[in-house]
Amino acid sequence: MNVDELVRDSLREQAAEQPPLAPGFADRVLDVRRRRRTRRIATVAATTAAVVALAVAVPLLETGKDEVRLASEMNKSDIIAHPDQSPPRDLIAAGDVALAAYFTYSTVRTSKDTAVRQRTYRILDQRTGKYVEDDRWSMVSVAPGMRTAAVLERDLPVKRIGLLDLLTGEVDRWIPVERGVAGVAFSSDGGKLVATTYNANPDLLTRQDYDSNGDGKKNDYEPDHTTSHRTGFSVVDVGSGKADWRKVVSEDRQGIVNARQDFAFSGDGTSVYTGLTMEPHQQFYDLKGRKVPTPPDERYLHWSVDARLSPDGRLAAGDFAGDARTTASWILDPRTGKHLHKVRGQQLLAWVDNKRLIAWDITPGDNEFHNALVLVTIGSDRTLPLSGARKGNDGAAGRWTPVFATR
């Protein structure tokens, strides 16, 4: 049996075990959770070598005399993977969920003692199926359907939000906001935006007089927790452009939050939440800015686990469940918090359907930070690589962070 036959058999087996169901959505990109892991992880779970090593060859675009099919509309029943690419160059997708964009970080000095942790985005070109750098934006949030993105300009905080047409690459219109915005996220239906407001740039860094990264030099920059403060959020109606600001004081049981701690919508879009550094790890507010109880089906979610609820709402993506030798994550009952399943993966990023998720994971024996996008399945120890592995350690320049959307 040759390599192509192994790949085909592996995909057929996965497809037979679980047919594609309803699409999922994940629109939060929070990467601080990885910094809390300092141990090295090695995995002994079995994988198929041929699948790990080979990109799944699926045509991205079908050309005709009079028609060009958009990447967001193509091959929705297929897995489109490129395990040889890191960062990705070509479309990655599984079912209705696609990698709509990704970003890398760089430290840009602004003075002798200050710098900014700056994102550079690569956004999917709908007509070519390739990721193209667009350095105009400090923040990009992609709406369901992958036709529109909310964008913020470079010098944060900003007083307007752009609606970027992902087919033309041009801003269709600008939405003015009352207070300076530094974070933005769509609701699951794409009808609303929550824009997090700050008094100063939350990505500001200050130079430290100690060696924080172990390179022997006292030239490291760390987030500035004293200059920038979150002030609240605006709920923006995408259709009308109407934006209402709500004051919310940054708070936590010990008064400590990350320098950037953006708001995001609850699953049903009737409230917003923010992460906390201690239990219960998230605080919900209604759209008027008043504290409200956590929705029953989101009680056991953690803000740093991007996947959150399955499309049918019956399962929840949980935290890391591995140990020093294995990688795994929990799947929970969202109402009780009961551990229902273990799946492969260091961190669960997006639901593909009610049985499959996209996750970060490593190959056996590799460094814990050399993780790749993989497809994991409830009830199976097998994974299907979707991207190549990232290089370097956490925080290293050039490491990329995915932005997923339904297409």
Side-chain angles (χ1 to χ4, degrees), residues 139-293:
M139 182 70 64
V140 174
S141 177
V142 180
M146 291 172 54
R147 298 299 180 89
T148 302
V151 294
L152 304 181
E153 293 166 291
R154 278 290 181 201
D155 295 329
L156 298 175
V158 297
K159 288 294 189 74
R160 64 179 186 174
I161 301 168
L163 295 180
L164 182 70
D165 185 327
L166 294 180
L167 301 186
T168 66
E170 300 299 326
V171 174
D172 275 342
R173 60 190 173 99
W174 293 97
I175 298 175
V177 289
E178 178 183 354
R179 304 294 178 107
V181 169
V184 65
F186 276 99
S187 60
S188 59
D189 64 2
K192 296 189 293 290
L193 288 164
V194 58
T196 307
T197 60
Y198 295 85
N199 71 324
N201 191 343
D203 300 324
L204 181 67
L205 307 173
T206 57
R207 190 170 66 87
Q208 307 300 308
D209 60 359
Y210 57 87
D211 178 19
S212 62
N213 64 7
D215 64 359
K217 300 178 181 179
K218 296 181 179 180
N219 60 354
D220 305 322
Y221 290 86
E222 295 291 340
D224 189 330
H225 292 270
T226 61
T227 301
S228 173
H229 300 285
R230 192 183 63 191
T231 59
F233 64 87
S234 293
V235 176
V236 182
D237 180 84
V238 175
S240 66
K242 185 175 184 296
D244 295 315
W245 182 72
R246 309 301 179 191
K247 180 179 180 180
V248 175
V249 177
S250 296
E251 62 179 317
D252 182 275
R253 289 190 178 183
Q254 291 187 341
I256 301 172
V257 295
N258 294 305
R260 172 182 285 279
Q261 193 72 60
D262 295 343
F263 288 94
F265 280 103
S266 62
D268 63 7
T270 61
S271 60
V272 299
Y273 69 91
T274 182
L276 303 176
T277 60
M278 297 182 65
E279 290 186 355
H281 299 302
Q282 50 187 2
Q283 175 64 58
F284 283 77
Y285 298 83
D286 66 17
L287 302 188
K288 298 292 185 181
R290 299 169 297 201
K291 285 186 178 180
V292 294

Side-chain angles (χ1 to χ4, degrees), residues 95-128:
D96 280 352
V97 175
L99 180 68
Y102 65 89
F103 60 88
T104 56
Y105 282 115
S106 60
T107 299
V108 179
R109 292 186 61 177
T110 55
S111 72
K112 176 183 176 182
D113 295 319
T114 62
V116 170
R117 193 178 190 219
Q118 182 171 286
R119 302 183 185 197
T120 299
Y121 281 86
R122 278 79 174 176
I123 303 173
L124 181 68
D125 185 314
Q126 295 279 345
R127 299 188 181 277
T128 66

Side-chain angles (χ1 to χ4, degrees), residues 312-325:
D312 63 7
R314 296 181 179 180
L315 298 173
D319 210 341
F320 185 73
D323 54 35
R325 296 186 302 165

